[in-house]
Amino acid sequence: MKGISIGRVITTERGKGYGKQIMLHAIDAAIGHFNAKRIDIEAQEYAKGFYESVGFTQSSDPFMLDGIPHIRMTWTITTSANGGKDML
């Protein structure tokens, strides 16, 4: 993948909103530091809803990576509410 990408997001506790906060700050940093208009990730397929909640959309068919189903997802300024700025 070329351009701006965010790697694996992991927290010590699920369901507390920490992962979403990390993603929103990462998006904000990509915008602020790199003037990002697009961010690409490779997400585990089961986490699709999580990434959709912060403005990503599926951009590939499922594929296997290390034996785990993944999908590519893309965030763009135009598909995200205010570029994610008001989501924090």
Side-chain angles (χ1 to χ4, degrees):
M1 292 186 328
K2 295 180 182 177
I4 306 294
S5 180
I6 297 171
R8 183 170 290 174
V9 173
I10 187 167
T11 66
T12 56
E13 297 180 60
R14 290 188 176 191
K16 297 200 176 206
Y18 301 142
K20 186 170 187 174
Q21 288 177 26
I22 291 168
M23 281 302 297
L24 293 174
H25 283 288
I27 291 167
D28 194 45
I31 294 167
H33 294 286
F34 304 107
N35 196 29
K37 305 281 188 248
R38 174 187 172 125
I39 302 170
D40 295 302
I41 62 171
E42 292 179 341
Q44 291 184 12
E45 193 171 22
Y46 82 89
K48 177 182 175 183
F50 167 76
Y51 291 107
E52 287 175 334
S53 78
V54 293
F56 284 84
T57 57
Q58 183 172 340
S59 55
S60 78
D61 291 329
F63 61 94
M64 296 300 283
L65 182 64
D66 296 328
I68 301 168
H70 280 69
I71 51 175
R72 286 187 183 85
M73 299 191 78
T74 301
W75 174 95
T76 61
I77 284 270
T78 58
T79 62
S80 300
N82 296 324
K85 295 267 185 190
D86 65 349
M87 298 172 79
L88 291 173

